[in-house]
């Protein structure tokens, strides 16, 4: 409420200064240019200057509106200035009483202050008014009782108004705090729901065992790459990867060890693939890979690196670790093909051709359409494919009548 109280304080001081200036004009018409008028004018100018100084200070530093010293110094100065005007025209009892009533209500309603300071200022105003009237304007006992009852009623009414106003402010603040807490809880719940939604999306798109994309998510990403390849007229290759003799390893060492092998092979594949490549678990011990911007030569090079990396995996907990291997079938999406099914079928046929030919090899299924297949044994590369290490370099067979190279 600091900014609100500071604004209210500025307006109260400016209004007070304006009223004092107006009263000075009224004093001139009532008193004329006389010593009494000069004294009143000096008093009103001092009080008006104090009000304007406080308004300026609160405008520069709003926190001063909650400081008791500057506020109450100006209030007491204004009360003193008001009481000093009584001896100058003691016969105007009604005017002085109206001024005291207005000043008292202003102290209750328009000047932000602590409750005890409000009581002190109003008590000072009331007692000072009674004393001034007794000294300079003697009145009958009935009149004095009437004034006392009026001042008592005024303070009771002002105190009730301030109490009600403070209660409403406390209720408003409590409502604000409750609303903020509810907003914080709602925000926390929204964040929690967003996290759960993200986790659900991740679970729906990821194979929980291997950490790669599941089958549905893979085909979503692969279809997107297919559309981009058709739009940009860039090549797209597919690889089917199968872990050799996985069922025998699973039966001998148990499903837990089989799960470990699956996770290890998936992690190994991810280290070999490019950032733009997409890998997913096709089912069981089979993985499927989409290679954007990769022709058959590039796809075969990547597949060879993957095969060598899997063969070099070290799993000391199983005795067959040294012979762990994969068979890879490769195909590419031909121009005009709008679905992945045909290319996937060629890669799958190439994979089973490799399994039937002794496993641990890379087979290019695109050449099966010509009644031929390209198969490479471990350690041999196709034409124009760079070996991954110096140990992988082997003899390269030539081309026959422009046909693709056979990897034996």
């Amino acid at each position: 409420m600091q900014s609100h109280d500071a604004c209210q304080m500025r307006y109260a001081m400016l209004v007070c200064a304006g009223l004092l200036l107006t009263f000075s004009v009224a004093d001139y018409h009532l008193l004329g240019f006389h010593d009494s008028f000069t004294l009143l004018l000096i008093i009103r100018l001092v009080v008006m200057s104090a009000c304007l100084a406080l308004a300026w200070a609160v405008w520069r530093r709003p926190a001063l509106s909650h400081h008791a010293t500057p506020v109450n110094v100006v209030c007491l100065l204004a009360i003193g200035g008001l009481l000093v005007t009584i001896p100058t025209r003691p016969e105007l009892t009604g005017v002085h009483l109206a001024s005291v009533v207005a000043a008292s209500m202003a102290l209750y309603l328009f000047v932000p202050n602590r409750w005890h300071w409000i009581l002190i200022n109003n008590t000072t105003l009331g007692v000072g008014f009674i004393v001034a009237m007794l000294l300079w304007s003697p009145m009958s006992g009935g009149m004095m009782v009437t004034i006392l009852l009026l001042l008592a009623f005024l303070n009771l009414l002002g105190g009730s108004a301030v109490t009600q106003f403070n209660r409403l402010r406390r209720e408003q603040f409590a409502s604000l705090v409750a609303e903020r807490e509810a907003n914080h809880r709602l925000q926390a719940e929204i964040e929690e729901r967003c996290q759960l939604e993200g986790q659900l999306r991740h679970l729906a798109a990821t194979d929980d065992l291997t950490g790669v994309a599941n089958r549905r998510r893979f085909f979503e990403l692969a279809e997107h790459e297919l559309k981009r390849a058709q739009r940009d007229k860039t090549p797209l290759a597919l690889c089917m990867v199968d872990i050799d003799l996985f069922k025998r390893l699973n039966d001998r060492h148990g499903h837990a060890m089989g799960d470990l092998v699956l996770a290890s092979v998936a992690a190994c594949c991810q280290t070999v693939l490019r950032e733009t490549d997409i890998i997913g678990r096709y089912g069981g011990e089979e993985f499927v890979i989409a290679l954007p911007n990769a022709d058959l030569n590039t796809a075969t090079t990547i597949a060879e690196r993957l095969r060598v990396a899997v063969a070099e995996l070290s799993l000391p907990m199983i005795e067959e670790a040294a012979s762990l291997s994969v068979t890879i079938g490769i195909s590419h999406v031909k121009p005009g093909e709008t679905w992945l099914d045909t290319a996937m079928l060629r890669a799958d046929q190439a994979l089973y051709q490799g399994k039937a030919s002794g496993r641990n090899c890379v087979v290019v299924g695109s050449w099966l359409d010509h009644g031929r297949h390209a198969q490479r044994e471990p350690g041999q590369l196709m034409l124009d494919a760079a070996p991954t290490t110096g140990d992988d370099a082997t003899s390269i067979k030539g081309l026959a009548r422009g046909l693709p190279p056979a990897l034996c």
Side-chain angles (χ1 to χ4, degrees), residues 70-84:
V71 174
N72 290 289
V73 165
V74 175
C75 290
L76 292 175
L77 185 61
I79 292 172
L82 178 63
L83 295 177
V84 170

Side-chain angles (χ1 to χ4, degrees), residues 14-15 49 51 54 109-110 123 128 150-151 153 174 180 188 233 248 253 260 263 270-271 286 302 367 371 383 390 392:
L14 292 175
V15 170
S49 300
C51 293
L54 180 59
L109 299 179
F110 299 112
T123 301
L150 179 61
L151 292 178
F153 176 75
R180 288 179 176 176
K233 300 187 183 305
R248 185 176 68 181
H253 297 280
L260 176 61
Q270 288 179 305
T271 60
E286 289 185 340
I302 296 174
W367 299 328
L383 186 63
D392 293 328

Side-chain angles (χ1 to χ4, degrees), residues 377-391:
E377 296 297 339
Q380 291 184 336
L381 301 175
M382 66 180 296
L383 186 63
D384 298 332
T388 57
T389 64
D391 297 336

Side-chain angles (χ1 to χ4, degrees), residues 1-10 58-67 112 169 173:
M1 302 297 295
Q2 178 176 292
S3 59
H4 175 270
D5 290 344
C7 182
Q8 184 177 349
M9 176 68 72
R10 293 197 305 271
V58 171
W59 176 69
R60 294 295 301 272
R61 293 182 56 191
L64 288 177
S65 61
H66 288 173
H67 290 185
R169 289 180 66 176
F173 181 74

Side-chain angles (χ1 to χ4, degrees), residues 358-380:
R359 302 181 180 86
N360 193 19
C361 60
V362 176
V363 179
V364 179
S366 298
W367 299 328
L368 296 176
D369 296 336
H370 299 285
R372 300 169 59 90
H373 72 273
Q375 176 186 349
R376 63 178 307 284
E377 296 297 339
Q380 291 184 336

